[in-house]
Amino acid sequence: MEWSRIKTIILIILVVTNVSLLGFLVQRELQAQNAQQEARQNSIQFLENNGVTVEDEGVPEEMTLLPQTVEWDREQERESASVLLGGEVQEQAWSDEIYRYYNEAGSIQFHRDGTFQGEFVEGAFQLEGQDAAAYSLQVLEILGIQGESLSVQADSGEDAAVTVVCRQLWNQVPVFNHLITLTFRGDSLAAVEGRRLTGEPSLDSSQEPISIPTALFQFYHGMAALGDVCSRIDSITPGYVTSAGTGPSALTPVWYIATDTRNYRLDTLTGELSRAEESGA
């Protein structure tokens, strides 16, 4: 038999083998997806059978958030303070973990655990007719913080203050325990305080999220363990919480679960459920 003919036969065999292998892999992937979807539907039905209703579209299709760690970026803080206060700033180190920056416009102090607070001279940051919530987000952006406005509250009286509460976003995802309060007096920003996260993130490959069905089962059993009851899940919002400490900040993925009775946080790495104190709006 001629070599060219043998080579053609070999190539045909290889093509058929590859097509068969691809078909097998596609079939396995479809079977896995179908199994995951069936398990998800079963877990939703489990909640329904136990008196907790939840809309199918309200349950995430997959766990997209992974744990991360973020190193403290002190140089970025100094640059942000300089831009915010408008020029050169003096630096004052209270310790290796607390740094204060100040000039004639005011001061801002950063802590290694993520907390910070600033006080500003009257008139240094004028609203000049701008919306307080929108102006607050501009201030956060200067500080390297992506945020969203949660509430605006105006006091009554002669020395009335306007308080704007914002929450940090990390790549468009809420960080639930990073709330920031900005206070305006006399049409001028007077103070800011809260918790923030800055720096370069890196994925933590040491932990993997639990599955969607496991998360729903853990929610129900965790709620029962807390002695709570609910009849409806109104929303499930994926996001992060951070841990405070002297080392790198850990971003832990969680679900913020709003129900008809109260709100909860579900750790999607461990399945631990806790009552939520902060707003998930």
Side-chain angles (χ1 to χ4, degrees):
M1 186 180 294
E2 296 181 2
W3 169 243
S4 58
R5 190 173 178 184
I6 294 175
K7 191 161 62 172
T8 301
I9 294 173
I10 293 174
L11 290 174
I12 292 173
I13 293 173
L14 289 174
V15 169
V16 171
T17 301
N18 288 335
V19 170
S20 300
L21 180 59
L22 178 61
F24 173 73
L25 293 176
V26 169
Q27 184 180 18
R28 283 192 59 182
E29 180 63 24
L30 289 175
Q31 289 175 343
Q33 291 179 3
N34 290 336
Q36 291 174 0
Q37 186 60 28
E38 183 178 356
R40 180 177 176 276
Q41 292 300 323
N42 288 340
S43 60
I44 292 174
Q45 189 60 51
F46 168 81
L47 291 179
E48 295 274 356
N49 294 342
N50 285 276
V52 182
T53 62
V54 55
E55 296 294 333
D56 180 85
E57 57 269 21
V59 179
E61 292 286 343
E62 57 182 337
M63 294 293 188
T64 57
L65 300 183
L66 301 175
Q68 301 180 37
T69 57
V70 182
E71 292 283 353
W72 185 28
D73 189 346
R74 201 170 73 77
E75 185 58 33
Q76 190 273 343
E77 290 179 343
R78 179 182 177 85
E79 292 175 1
S80 297
S82 178
V83 174
L84 179 67
L85 296 175
E88 290 294 322
V89 293
Q90 299 295 314
E91 179 181 308
Q92 186 176 21
W94 296 110
S95 69
D96 290 340
E97 299 183 359
I98 305 175
Y99 291 85
R100 178 175 178 266
Y101 304 95
Y102 63 94
N103 64 14
E104 62 278 2
S107 66
I108 189 162
Q109 181 172 298
F110 297 101
H111 299 237
R112 189 183 184 92
D113 65 0
T115 56
F116 71 103
Q117 52 272 153
E119 296 182 351
F120 310 108
V121 173
E122 183 178 356
F125 298 93
Q126 291 278 7
L127 280 174
E128 297 180 349
Q130 294 187 66
D131 176 74
Y135 187 83
S136 297
L137 296 182
Q138 294 175 24
V139 171
L140 296 187
E141 186 176 355
I142 292 173
L143 291 172
I145 302 170
Q146 182 187 42
E148 60 179 343
S149 175
L150 295 182
S151 66
V152 179
Q153 180 178 344
D155 296 336
S156 58
E158 186 174 336
D159 190 26
V162 175
T163 302
V164 180
V165 177
C166 300
R167 180 171 60 203
Q168 183 173 11
L169 301 176
W170 190 257
N171 293 326
Q172 301 296 331
V173 174
V175 184
F176 292 114
N177 61 337
H178 280 206
L179 300 182
I180 303 164
T181 301
L182 298 94
T183 304
F184 296 83
R185 297 185 184 278
D187 204 37
S188 175
L189 179 63
V192 59
E193 65 175 338
R195 183 181 295 274
R196 90 284 175 260
L197 188 68
T198 59
E200 288 298 322
S202 60
L203 289 177
D204 179 3
S205 58
S206 64
Q207 300 182 84
E208 290 289 335
I210 58 180
S211 67
I212 300 293
T214 299
L216 293 177
F217 288 132
Q218 288 293 104
F219 163 74
Y220 179 79
H221 292 300
M223 188 177 59
L226 290 170
D228 295 345
V229 293
C230 78
S231 61
R232 185 182 69 250
I233 294 177
D234 292 325
S235 64
I236 298 175
T237 305
Y240 285 109
V241 294
T242 62
S243 59
T246 57
S249 297
L251 276 164
T252 301
V254 299
W255 279 1
Y256 185 95
I257 304 176
T259 77
D260 59 331
T261 55
R262 66 185 312 153
N263 303 325
Y264 300 89
R265 279 203 327 234
L266 178 74
D267 187 320
T268 59
L269 298 180
T270 65
E272 181 181 356
L273 187 75
S274 60
R275 297 182 180 121
E277 298 178 357
E278 71 285 329
S279 171

